[in-house]
Amino acid sequence: MDRSEVIQYLINKKKYKRYLEIGVFNGEVFFKTKAHYKYAVDPAFRFVRETKYKMMLKNSSNINAKYYTKTSDDFFRDNAPSLFLKSKIDICFIDGMHEFDYVKNDVINSLQYLDKDGVIILHDCNPLTAEAEVSYKAWEERGLTGEWNGDVWKVIVYLRSVYKDINVFTLDTDQGLGIITRGTPEALLDFTEEQIRQFTFKDIDANRNEWLNLKRESYLLNYFG
Ligand SMILES: C[S@@+](CC[C@H](N)C(=O)[O-])C[C@H]1O[C@@H](n2cnc3c(N)ncnc32)[C@H](O)[C@@H]1O
């Protein structure tokens, strides 16, 4: 299963209504997703207005979709409080800036507006090469190409070390899909935020199974089944 399939599986299975995507790019996932209410957040969408109309014809749930051309921090400050005052977010896909502080903020902010039975999905949690794990600055300066995961993985380690009331695992598919739900953690890690910030690719490479709580796809079906 790729990220799109996992998102749609959860929407269908849990009868989720409200879908929020942070970091949308060309809408590859967003336009395909079928949900009653859809919210797209990106400071630089990579599609033109005509694409939105085309996508309404392809998938009628795009008719009511709302677009916020801004960073996720601005969205959570300016829009989320009123948007999600009465009805919370059911499913949030976080795929914006792939650096620890940004992703950590996105998760903390999303948790604030997440329904008690909701789910957060983090993309890019399982970097397989040192190149894919570099900072955005290094990625740009070195002219690297291909999939950039950044250090999203540190957020998984952080959540599993700090939060006692959420369960976190990572599906071993599509660059690593972090799955976050409320509930008792399966097992905790014991790192401080300072330690996590100091970790490098070598550390995650040596410990990815344990630190990411890596699971096969079949685990997802049982977990939500
Ligand atoms: C990897 S792309 C998203 C891909 C898309 N979710 C998909 O699955 O096809 C990352 C996107 O995050 C956006 N982005 C960068 N910084 C952001 C921020 N602070 N808040 C929200 N989105 C951000 C970029 O403009 C870019 O379009």
Side-chain angles (χ1 to χ4, degrees):
M1 289 168 102
D2 64 15
R3 58 197 186 283
S4 240
E5 290 168 323
V6 168
I7 290 165
Q8 198 62 57
Y9 166 78
L10 290 173
I11 290 173
N12 297 348
K13 181 83 193 168
K14 303 285 289 179
K15 302 198 175 9
Y16 285 151
K17 288 203 163 64
R18 289 182 165 70
Y19 172 67
L20 169 66
E21 185 168 323
I22 294 171
V24 171
F25 194 62
N26 62 7
E28 183 184 335
V29 169
F30 187 79
F31 287 133
K32 235 191 279 180
T33 302
K34 292 185 175 154
H36 278 70
Y37 305 97
K38 305 205 305 176
Y39 309 91
V41 178
D42 198 308
F45 289 109
R46 305 296 208 287
F47 49 81
V48 291
R49 192 184 298 175
E50 287 67 35
T51 311
K52 285 192 203 170
Y53 298 130
K54 266 194 213 158
M55 293 302 155
M56 288 181 194
L57 296 174
K58 272 198 164 173
N59 172 5
S60 61
S61 54
N62 288 320
I63 293 173
N64 291 324
K66 291 196 161 68
Y67 300 86
Y68 300 87
T69 310
K70 50 176 71 181
T71 65
S72 48
D73 284 348
D74 287 353
F75 170 79
F76 281 113
R77 190 193 57 216
D78 300 339
N79 307 95
S82 54
L83 269 181
F84 306 124
L85 181 69
K86 288 193 183 142
S87 305
K88 303 275 190 183
I89 306 164
D90 292 309
I91 176 161
C92 177
F93 178 43
I94 297 177
D95 195 14
M97 175 52 77
H98 300 153
E99 291 194 343
F100 179 72
D101 286 306
Y102 288 87
V103 185
K104 183 181 137 205
N105 277 347
D106 285 343
V107 173
I108 291 170
N109 284 326
S110 305
L111 276 172
Q112 202 186 330
Y113 297 104
L114 190 74
D115 187 79
K116 59 181 183 349
D117 195 31
V119 62
I120 297 172
I121 301 173
L122 290 191
H123 196 210
D124 295 290
C125 296
N126 189 17
L128 297 180
T129 64
E131 283 70 30
E133 201 264 352
V134 296
S135 67
Y136 183 64
K137 191 165 172 272
W139 178 262
E140 290 273 282
E141 281 174 3
R142 290 167 61 182
L144 295 169
T145 54
E147 194 73 32
W148 174 56
N149 306 130
D151 60 358
V152 178
W153 66 269
K154 289 186 180 176
V155 177
I156 298 288
V157 177
Y158 171 80
L159 295 171
R160 297 193 61 221
S161 297
V162 169
Y163 282 74
K164 313 278 185 288
D165 57 352
I166 57 174
N167 189 43
V168 182
F169 62 90
T170 304
L171 281 188
D172 194 4
T173 182
D174 197 351
Q175 313 291 321
L177 297 178
I179 308 285
I180 303 166
T181 57
R182 294 190 206 282
T184 310
E186 188 188 322
L188 285 169
L189 298 174
D190 191 20
F191 299 115
T192 64
E193 183 167 346
E194 254 336 286
Q195 285 174 309
I196 295 168
R197 284 181 186 277
Q198 301 303 321
F199 287 146
T200 66
F201 177 75
K202 275 191 184 156
D203 298 306
I204 185 60
D205 202 26
N207 297 287
R208 64 180 70 243
N209 272 305
E210 188 201 343
W211 288 8
L212 298 178
N213 198 12
L214 266 190
K215 305 286 188 192
R216 290 163 193 260
E217 287 174 20
S218 55
Y219 184 86
L220 179 85
L221 310 182
N222 287 331
Y223 189 76
F224 289 96

PDB file of all heavy atoms in Angstrom, residues 3 21-29 41-46 70-73 93 95-98 102 106 123-124, ligand 1:
ATOM      1  N   ARG A   3       0.924   5.703   0.333  1.00  0.00           N
ATOM      2  CA  ARG A   3       0.288   6.641   1.272  1.00  0.00           C
ATOM      3  C   ARG A   3      -1.172   6.908   0.914  1.00  0.00           C
ATOM      4  O   ARG A   3      -2.033   6.983   1.789  1.00  0.00           O
ATOM      5  CB  ARG A   3       1.107   7.933   1.363  1.00  0.00           C
ATOM      6  CG  ARG A   3       1.316   8.661   0.043  1.00  0.00           C
ATOM      7  CD  ARG A   3       2.461   9.652   0.179  1.00  0.00           C
ATOM      8  NE  ARG A   3       2.666  10.498  -0.979  1.00  0.00           N
ATOM      9  CZ  ARG A   3       3.259  10.108  -2.107  1.00  0.00           C
ATOM     10  NH1 ARG A   3       3.679   8.856  -2.235  1.00  0.00           N
ATOM     11  NH2 ARG A   3       3.429  10.963  -3.104  1.00  0.00           N
ATOM     12  N   GLU A  21      -4.573  17.843   4.774  1.00  0.00           N
ATOM     13  CA  GLU A  21      -3.237  17.494   4.245  1.00  0.00           C
ATOM     14  C   GLU A  21      -2.330  18.718   4.362  1.00  0.00           C
ATOM     15  O   GLU A  21      -2.641  19.797   3.856  1.00  0.00           O
ATOM     16  CB  GLU A  21      -3.326  17.024   2.788  1.00  0.00           C
ATOM     17  CG  GLU A  21      -1.976  16.544   2.252  1.00  0.00           C
ATOM     18  CD  GLU A  21      -2.092  15.797   0.915  1.00  0.00           C
ATOM     19  OE1 GLU A  21      -3.076  15.055   0.714  1.00  0.00           O
ATOM     20  OE2 GLU A  21      -1.181  15.975   0.076  1.00  0.00           O
ATOM     21  N   ILE A  22      -1.201  18.526   5.022  1.00  0.00           N
ATOM     22  CA  ILE A  22      -0.207  19.587   5.181  1.00  0.00           C
ATOM     23  C   ILE A  22       0.950  19.287   4.239  1.00  0.00           C
ATOM     24  O   ILE A  22       1.617  18.258   4.386  1.00  0.00           O
ATOM     25  CB  ILE A  22       0.281  19.640   6.643  1.00  0.00           C
ATOM     26  CG1 ILE A  22      -0.865  20.059   7.555  1.00  0.00           C
ATOM     27  CG2 ILE A  22       1.457  20.597   6.789  1.00  0.00           C
ATOM     28  CD1 ILE A  22      -0.547  19.927   9.021  1.00  0.00           C
ATOM     29  N   GLY A  23       1.185  20.165   3.287  1.00  0.00           N
ATOM     30  CA  GLY A  23       2.191  19.907   2.261  1.00  0.00           C
ATOM     31  C   GLY A  23       1.531  19.107   1.151  1.00  0.00           C
ATOM     32  O   GLY A  23       1.397  17.885   1.250  1.00  0.00           O
ATOM     33  N   VAL A  24       1.083  19.800   0.113  1.00  0.00           N
ATOM     34  CA  VAL A  24       0.220  19.161  -0.889  1.00  0.00           C
ATOM     35  C   VAL A  24       0.910  19.043  -2.246  1.00  0.00           C
ATOM     36  O   VAL A  24       0.610  18.155  -3.044  1.00  0.00           O
ATOM     37  CB  VAL A  24      -1.100  19.976  -0.996  1.00  0.00           C
ATOM     38  CG1 VAL A  24      -1.954  19.507  -2.171  1.00  0.00           C
ATOM     39  CG2 VAL A  24      -1.888  19.877   0.303  1.00  0.00           C
ATOM     40  N   PHE A  25       1.830  19.974  -2.509  1.00  0.00           N
ATOM     41  CA  PHE A  25       2.593  20.002  -3.758  1.00  0.00           C
ATOM     42  C   PHE A  25       1.652  20.023  -4.956  1.00  0.00           C
ATOM     43  O   PHE A  25       0.831  20.912  -5.079  1.00  0.00           O
ATOM     44  CB  PHE A  25       3.577  18.817  -3.784  1.00  0.00           C
ATOM     45  CG  PHE A  25       4.638  18.925  -4.837  1.00  0.00           C
ATOM     46  CD1 PHE A  25       5.542  19.988  -4.812  1.00  0.00           C
ATOM     47  CD2 PHE A  25       4.751  17.993  -5.858  1.00  0.00           C
ATOM     48  CE1 PHE A  25       6.520  20.108  -5.791  1.00  0.00           C
ATOM     49  CE2 PHE A  25       5.727  18.096  -6.829  1.00  0.00           C
ATOM     50  CZ  PHE A  25       6.609  19.156  -6.794  1.00  0.00           C
ATOM     51  N   ASN A  26       1.710  19.018  -5.849  1.00  0.00           N
ATOM     52  CA  ASN A  26       0.862  19.044  -7.056  1.00  0.00           C
ATOM     53  C   ASN A  26      -0.492  18.361  -6.848  1.00  0.00           C
ATOM     54  O   ASN A  26      -1.259  18.191  -7.793  1.00  0.00           O
ATOM     55  CB  ASN A  26       1.595  18.418  -8.252  1.00  0.00           C
ATOM     56  CG  ASN A  26       1.922  16.949  -8.005  1.00  0.00           C
ATOM     57  OD1 ASN A  26       1.494  16.378  -7.005  1.00  0.00           O
ATOM     58  ND2 ASN A  26       2.684  16.339  -8.889  1.00  0.00           N
ATOM     59  N   GLY A  27      -0.778  17.966  -5.611  1.00  0.00           N
ATOM     60  CA  GLY A  27      -2.092  17.393  -5.307  1.00  0.00           C
ATOM     61  C   GLY A  27      -2.227  15.924  -5.663  1.00  0.00           C
ATOM     62  O   GLY A  27      -3.337  15.385  -5.675  1.00  0.00           O
ATOM     63  N   GLU A  28      -1.117  15.270  -5.915  1.00  0.00           N
ATOM     64  CA  GLU A  28      -1.155  13.849  -6.300  1.00  0.00           C
ATOM     65  C   GLU A  28      -2.001  13.020  -5.328  1.00  0.00           C
ATOM     66  O   GLU A  28      -2.801  12.179  -5.755  1.00  0.00           O
ATOM     67  CB  GLU A  28       0.278  13.301  -6.363  1.00  0.00           C
ATOM     68  CG  GLU A  28       0.347  11.865  -6.820  1.00  0.00           C
ATOM     69  CD  GLU A  28       1.764  11.302  -6.784  1.00  0.00           C
ATOM     70  OE1 GLU A  28       2.729  12.074  -6.873  1.00  0.00           O
ATOM     71  OE2 GLU A  28       1.882  10.064  -6.647  1.00  0.00           O
ATOM     72  N   VAL A  29      -1.821  13.267  -4.048  1.00  0.00           N
ATOM     73  CA  VAL A  29      -2.587  12.523  -3.042  1.00  0.00           C
ATOM     74  C   VAL A  29      -3.899  13.249  -2.731  1.00  0.00           C
ATOM     75  O   VAL A  29      -4.973  12.645  -2.662  1.00  0.00           O
ATOM     76  CB  VAL A  29      -1.738  12.344  -1.763  1.00  0.00           C
ATOM     77  CG1 VAL A  29      -2.580  11.830  -0.613  1.00  0.00           C
ATOM     78  CG2 VAL A  29      -0.579  11.397  -2.039  1.00  0.00           C
ATOM     79  N   VAL A  41      -3.232  22.496   2.793  1.00  0.00           N
ATOM     80  CA  VAL A  41      -2.387  23.593   3.284  1.00  0.00           C
ATOM     81  C   VAL A  41      -1.014  23.494   2.639  1.00  0.00           C
ATOM     82  O   VAL A  41      -0.346  22.446   2.737  1.00  0.00           O
ATOM     83  CB  VAL A  41      -2.235  23.515   4.829  1.00  0.00           C
ATOM     84  CG1 VAL A  41      -1.330  24.628   5.339  1.00  0.00           C
ATOM     85  CG2 VAL A  41      -3.594  23.566   5.514  1.00  0.00           C
ATOM     86  N   ASP A  42      -0.587  24.575   1.984  1.00  0.00           N
ATOM     87  CA  ASP A  42       0.755  24.595   1.375  1.00  0.00           C
ATOM     88  C   ASP A  42       1.073  26.057   1.021  1.00  0.00           C
ATOM     89  O   ASP A  42       0.228  26.742   0.447  1.00  0.00           O
ATOM     90  CB  ASP A  42       0.770  23.735   0.094  1.00  0.00           C
ATOM     91  CG  ASP A  42       2.172  23.349  -0.339  1.00  0.00           C
ATOM     92  OD1 ASP A  42       3.025  24.259  -0.453  1.00  0.00           O
ATOM     93  OD2 ASP A  42       2.428  22.149  -0.572  1.00  0.00           O
ATOM     94  N   PRO A  43       2.267  26.540   1.355  1.00  0.00           N
ATOM     95  CA  PRO A  43       2.601  27.930   0.995  1.00  0.00           C
ATOM     96  C   PRO A  43       2.838  28.079  -0.505  1.00  0.00           C
ATOM     97  O   PRO A  43       2.839  29.199  -1.017  1.00  0.00           O
ATOM     98  CB  PRO A  43       3.887  28.207   1.779  1.00  0.00           C
ATOM     99  CG  PRO A  43       4.468  26.869   2.072  1.00  0.00           C
ATOM    100  CD  PRO A  43       3.331  25.893   2.138  1.00  0.00           C
ATOM    101  N   ALA A  44       3.040  26.947  -1.214  1.00  0.00           N
ATOM    102  CA  ALA A  44       3.346  27.033  -2.649  1.00  0.00           C
ATOM    103  C   ALA A  44       2.742  25.832  -3.372  1.00  0.00           C
ATOM    104  O   ALA A  44       3.450  24.892  -3.736  1.00  0.00           O
ATOM    105  CB  ALA A  44       4.863  27.070  -2.850  1.00  0.00           C
ATOM    106  N   PHE A  45       1.426  25.870  -3.566  1.00  0.00           N
ATOM    107  CA  PHE A  45       0.784  24.778  -4.318  1.00  0.00           C
ATOM    108  C   PHE A  45       1.392  24.714  -5.709  1.00  0.00           C
ATOM    109  O   PHE A  45       1.649  25.759  -6.330  1.00  0.00           O
ATOM    110  CB  PHE A  45      -0.724  25.048  -4.453  1.00  0.00           C
ATOM    111  CG  PHE A  45      -1.488  24.889  -3.165  1.00  0.00           C
ATOM    112  CD1 PHE A  45      -2.005  25.995  -2.503  1.00  0.00           C
ATOM    113  CD2 PHE A  45      -1.706  23.636  -2.619  1.00  0.00           C
ATOM    114  CE1 PHE A  45      -2.708  25.862  -1.322  1.00  0.00           C
ATOM    115  CE2 PHE A  45      -2.418  23.487  -1.428  1.00  0.00           C
ATOM    116  CZ  PHE A  45      -2.917  24.608  -0.777  1.00  0.00           C
ATOM    117  N   ARG A  46       1.577  23.503  -6.214  1.00  0.00           N
ATOM    118  CA  ARG A  46       2.141  23.370  -7.570  1.00  0.00           C
ATOM    119  C   ARG A  46       1.051  22.926  -8.548  1.00  0.00           C
ATOM    120  O   ARG A  46       1.161  21.900  -9.192  1.00  0.00           O
ATOM    121  CB  ARG A  46       3.298  22.359  -7.586  1.00  0.00           C
ATOM    122  CG  ARG A  46       4.402  22.640  -6.618  1.00  0.00           C
ATOM    123  CD  ARG A  46       5.135  23.942  -6.929  1.00  0.00           C
ATOM    124  NE  ARG A  46       6.515  23.889  -6.458  1.00  0.00           N
ATOM    125  CZ  ARG A  46       6.886  23.945  -5.188  1.00  0.00           C
ATOM    126  NH1 ARG A  46       5.993  24.042  -4.229  1.00  0.00           N
ATOM    127  NH2 ARG A  46       8.173  23.899  -4.878  1.00  0.00           N
ATOM    128  N   LYS A  70      -0.547  28.934   2.584  1.00  0.00           N
ATOM    129  CA  LYS A  70       0.233  29.448   3.714  1.00  0.00           C
ATOM    130  C   LYS A  70       0.966  28.291   4.392  1.00  0.00           C
ATOM    131  O   LYS A  70       0.679  27.116   4.101  1.00  0.00           O
ATOM    132  CB  LYS A  70      -0.667  30.161   4.709  1.00  0.00           C
ATOM    133  CG  LYS A  70      -1.896  29.365   5.138  1.00  0.00           C
ATOM    134  CD  LYS A  70      -2.721  30.072   6.206  1.00  0.00           C
ATOM    135  CE  LYS A  70      -3.453  31.288   5.691  1.00  0.00           C
ATOM    136  NZ  LYS A  70      -4.223  31.977   6.724  1.00  0.00           N
ATOM    137  N   THR A  71       1.863  28.637   5.288  1.00  0.00           N
ATOM    138  CA  THR A  71       2.571  27.579   6.020  1.00  0.00           C
ATOM    139  C   THR A  71       1.608  26.938   7.027  1.00  0.00           C
ATOM    140  O   THR A  71       0.599  27.545   7.412  1.00  0.00           O
ATOM    141  CB  THR A  71       3.768  28.131   6.808  1.00  0.00           C
ATOM    142  OG1 THR A  71       3.265  29.014   7.811  1.00  0.00           O
ATOM    143  CG2 THR A  71       4.754  28.871   5.900  1.00  0.00           C
ATOM    144  N   SER A  72       1.962  25.740   7.459  1.00  0.00           N
ATOM    145  CA  SER A  72       1.109  25.051   8.434  1.00  0.00           C
ATOM    146  C   SER A  72       1.050  25.828   9.744  1.00  0.00           C
ATOM    147  O   SER A  72       0.004  25.880  10.392  1.00  0.00           O
ATOM    148  CB  SER A  72       1.610  23.626   8.651  1.00  0.00           C
ATOM    149  OG  SER A  72       3.002  23.610   8.873  1.00  0.00           O
ATOM    150  N   ASP A  73       2.161  26.449  10.149  1.00  0.00           N
ATOM    151  CA  ASP A  73       2.144  27.232  11.397  1.00  0.00           C
ATOM    152  C   ASP A  73       1.101  28.343  11.297  1.00  0.00           C
ATOM    153  O   ASP A  73       0.342  28.589  12.238  1.00  0.00           O
ATOM    154  CB  ASP A  73       3.525  27.857  11.673  1.00  0.00           C
ATOM    155  CG  ASP A  73       4.526  26.825  12.195  1.00  0.00           C
ATOM    156  OD1 ASP A  73       4.100  25.706  12.552  1.00  0.00           O
ATOM    157  OD2 ASP A  73       5.732  27.131  12.232  1.00  0.00           O
ATOM    158  N   PHE A  93      -2.774  14.167   7.232  1.00  0.00           N
ATOM    159  CA  PHE A  93      -1.575  13.662   6.555  1.00  0.00           C
ATOM    160  C   PHE A  93      -0.536  14.791   6.570  1.00  0.00           C
ATOM    161  O   PHE A  93      -0.748  15.845   5.963  1.00  0.00           O
ATOM    162  CB  PHE A  93      -1.926  13.252   5.122  1.00  0.00           C
ATOM    163  CG  PHE A  93      -0.757  12.764   4.313  1.00  0.00           C
ATOM    164  CD1 PHE A  93       0.180  11.900   4.849  1.00  0.00           C
ATOM    165  CD2 PHE A  93      -0.607  13.167   2.988  1.00  0.00           C
ATOM    166  CE1 PHE A  93       1.264  11.444   4.096  1.00  0.00           C
ATOM    167  CE2 PHE A  93       0.465  12.723   2.221  1.00  0.00           C
ATOM    168  CZ  PHE A  93       1.403  11.855   2.782  1.00  0.00           C
ATOM    169  N   ASP A  95       2.955  16.196   5.522  1.00  0.00           N
ATOM    170  CA  ASP A  95       3.968  15.967   4.473  1.00  0.00           C
ATOM    171  C   ASP A  95       4.503  17.322   3.985  1.00  0.00           C
ATOM    172  O   ASP A  95       4.677  17.531   2.795  1.00  0.00           O
ATOM    173  CB  ASP A  95       3.300  15.180   3.321  1.00  0.00           C
ATOM    174  CG  ASP A  95       4.307  14.575   2.358  1.00  0.00           C
ATOM    175  OD1 ASP A  95       5.502  14.518   2.688  1.00  0.00           O
ATOM    176  OD2 ASP A  95       3.882  14.156   1.263  1.00  0.00           O
ATOM    177  N   GLY A  96       4.756  18.242   4.946  1.00  0.00           N
ATOM    178  CA  GLY A  96       5.217  19.586   4.573  1.00  0.00           C
ATOM    179  C   GLY A  96       6.736  19.682   4.576  1.00  0.00           C
ATOM    180  O   GLY A  96       7.411  18.947   3.848  1.00  0.00           O
ATOM    181  N   MET A  97       7.279  20.572   5.397  1.00  0.00           N
ATOM    182  CA  MET A  97       8.736  20.720   5.489  1.00  0.00           C
ATOM    183  C   MET A  97       9.291  19.585   6.353  1.00  0.00           C
ATOM    184  O   MET A  97       8.909  19.437   7.510  1.00  0.00           O
ATOM    185  CB  MET A  97       9.055  22.097   6.100  1.00  0.00           C
ATOM    186  CG  MET A  97      10.510  22.333   6.366  1.00  0.00           C
ATOM    187  SD  MET A  97      11.596  22.033   4.961  1.00  0.00           S
ATOM    188  CE  MET A  97      11.326  23.498   3.994  1.00  0.00           C
ATOM    189  N   HIS A  98      10.225  18.794   5.772  1.00  0.00           N
ATOM    190  CA  HIS A  98      10.669  17.554   6.419  1.00  0.00           C
ATOM    191  C   HIS A  98      11.823  17.772   7.387  1.00  0.00           C
ATOM    192  O   HIS A  98      12.867  17.108   7.270  1.00  0.00           O
ATOM    193  CB  HIS A  98      11.063  16.520   5.365  1.00  0.00           C
ATOM    194  CG  HIS A  98       9.947  16.155   4.451  1.00  0.00           C
ATOM    195  ND1 HIS A  98      10.133  15.700   3.170  1.00  0.00           N
ATOM    196  CD2 HIS A  98       8.612  16.181   4.644  1.00  0.00           C
ATOM    197  CE1 HIS A  98       8.966  15.469   2.613  1.00  0.00           C
ATOM    198  NE2 HIS A  98       8.029  15.757   3.492  1.00  0.00           N
ATOM    199  N   TYR A 102       9.738  21.616  12.324  1.00  0.00           N
ATOM    200  CA  TYR A 102       8.496  21.828  11.576  1.00  0.00           C
ATOM    201  C   TYR A 102       7.523  20.666  11.799  1.00  0.00           C
ATOM    202  O   TYR A 102       6.339  20.860  12.069  1.00  0.00           O
ATOM    203  CB  TYR A 102       8.781  21.936  10.068  1.00  0.00           C
ATOM    204  CG  TYR A 102       9.468  23.207   9.643  1.00  0.00           C
ATOM    205  CD1 TYR A 102      10.856  23.314   9.657  1.00  0.00           C
ATOM    206  CD2 TYR A 102       8.734  24.311   9.215  1.00  0.00           C
ATOM    207  CE1 TYR A 102      11.499  24.470   9.261  1.00  0.00           C
ATOM    208  CE2 TYR A 102       9.364  25.476   8.816  1.00  0.00           C
ATOM    209  CZ  TYR A 102      10.748  25.550   8.835  1.00  0.00           C
ATOM    210  OH  TYR A 102      11.372  26.707   8.438  1.00  0.00           O
ATOM    211  N   ASP A 106       3.902  20.480  13.590  1.00  0.00           N
ATOM    212  CA  ASP A 106       2.717  20.021  12.848  1.00  0.00           C
ATOM    213  C   ASP A 106       1.978  18.941  13.638  1.00  0.00           C
ATOM    214  O   ASP A 106       0.748  18.929  13.683  1.00  0.00           O
ATOM    215  CB  ASP A 106       3.114  19.471  11.459  1.00  0.00           C
ATOM    216  CG  ASP A 106       3.468  20.584  10.474  1.00  0.00           C
ATOM    217  OD1 ASP A 106       3.115  21.757  10.737  1.00  0.00           O
ATOM    218  OD2 ASP A 106       4.093  20.282   9.440  1.00  0.00           O
ATOM    219  N   HIS A 123       4.514  11.284   6.585  1.00  0.00           N
ATOM    220  CA  HIS A 123       5.256  10.694   5.469  1.00  0.00           C
ATOM    221  C   HIS A 123       6.766  10.798   5.732  1.00  0.00           C
ATOM    222  O   HIS A 123       7.207  11.606   6.555  1.00  0.00           O
ATOM    223  CB  HIS A 123       4.904  11.428   4.161  1.00  0.00           C
ATOM    224  CG  HIS A 123       5.310  10.680   2.935  1.00  0.00           C
ATOM    225  ND1 HIS A 123       5.656  11.302   1.761  1.00  0.00           N
ATOM    226  CD2 HIS A 123       5.438   9.336   2.697  1.00  0.00           C
ATOM    227  CE1 HIS A 123       5.951  10.389   0.850  1.00  0.00           C
ATOM    228  NE2 HIS A 123       5.847   9.188   1.394  1.00  0.00           N
ATOM    229  N   ASP A 124       7.572   9.968   5.058  1.00  0.00           N
ATOM    230  CA  ASP A 124       9.042  10.085   5.041  1.00  0.00           C
ATOM    231  C   ASP A 124       9.722   9.772   6.367  1.00  0.00           C
ATOM    232  O   ASP A 124      10.715  10.420   6.722  1.00  0.00           O
ATOM    233  CB  ASP A 124       9.443  11.500   4.583  1.00  0.00           C
ATOM    234  CG  ASP A 124       9.041  11.764   3.150  1.00  0.00           C
ATOM    235  OD1 ASP A 124       9.643  11.169   2.245  1.00  0.00           O
ATOM    236  OD2 ASP A 124       8.110  12.547   2.927  1.00  0.00           O
TER     237      ASP A 124
HETATM  238  C1  LIG B   1       6.772  16.399  -0.472  1.00  0.00           C
HETATM  239  S1  LIG B   1       5.770  17.720  -0.960  1.00  0.00           S
HETATM  240  C2  LIG B   1       4.142  17.124  -0.589  1.00  0.00           C
HETATM  241  C3  LIG B   1       3.730  15.965  -1.432  1.00  0.00           C
HETATM  242  C4  LIG B   1       2.263  15.524  -1.315  1.00  0.00           C
HETATM  243  N1  LIG B   1       1.789  15.466   0.045  1.00  0.00           N
HETATM  244  C5  LIG B   1       2.117  14.146  -1.928  1.00  0.00           C
HETATM  245  O1  LIG B   1       1.948  13.163  -1.190  1.00  0.00           O
HETATM  246  O2  LIG B   1       2.199  14.023  -3.157  1.00  0.00           O
HETATM  247  C6  LIG B   1       6.086  18.895   0.294  1.00  0.00           C
HETATM  248  C7  LIG B   1       5.261  20.171   0.193  1.00  0.00           C
HETATM  249  O3  LIG B   1       5.360  20.844   1.449  1.00  0.00           O
HETATM  250  C8  LIG B   1       5.258  22.211   1.233  1.00  0.00           C
HETATM  251  N2  LIG B   1       5.776  22.942   2.395  1.00  0.00           N
HETATM  252  C9  LIG B   1       7.026  23.395   2.633  1.00  0.00           C
HETATM  253  N3  LIG B   1       7.077  24.047   3.802  1.00  0.00           N
HETATM  254  C10 LIG B   1       5.827  23.990   4.330  1.00  0.00           C
HETATM  255  C11 LIG B   1       5.230  24.478   5.535  1.00  0.00           C
HETATM  256  N4  LIG B   1       5.959  25.162   6.439  1.00  0.00           N
HETATM  257  N5  LIG B   1       3.924  24.254   5.742  1.00  0.00           N
HETATM  258  C12 LIG B   1       3.178  23.554   4.850  1.00  0.00           C
HETATM  259  N6  LIG B   1       3.694  23.058   3.698  1.00  0.00           N
HETATM  260  C13 LIG B   1       4.991  23.270   3.445  1.00  0.00           C
HETATM  261  C14 LIG B   1       6.049  22.449  -0.055  1.00  0.00           C
HETATM  262  O4  LIG B   1       5.628  23.651  -0.686  1.00  0.00           O
HETATM  263  C15 LIG B   1       5.734  21.181  -0.861  1.00  0.00           C
HETATM  264  O5  LIG B   1       4.706  21.426  -1.801  1.00  0.00           O
END
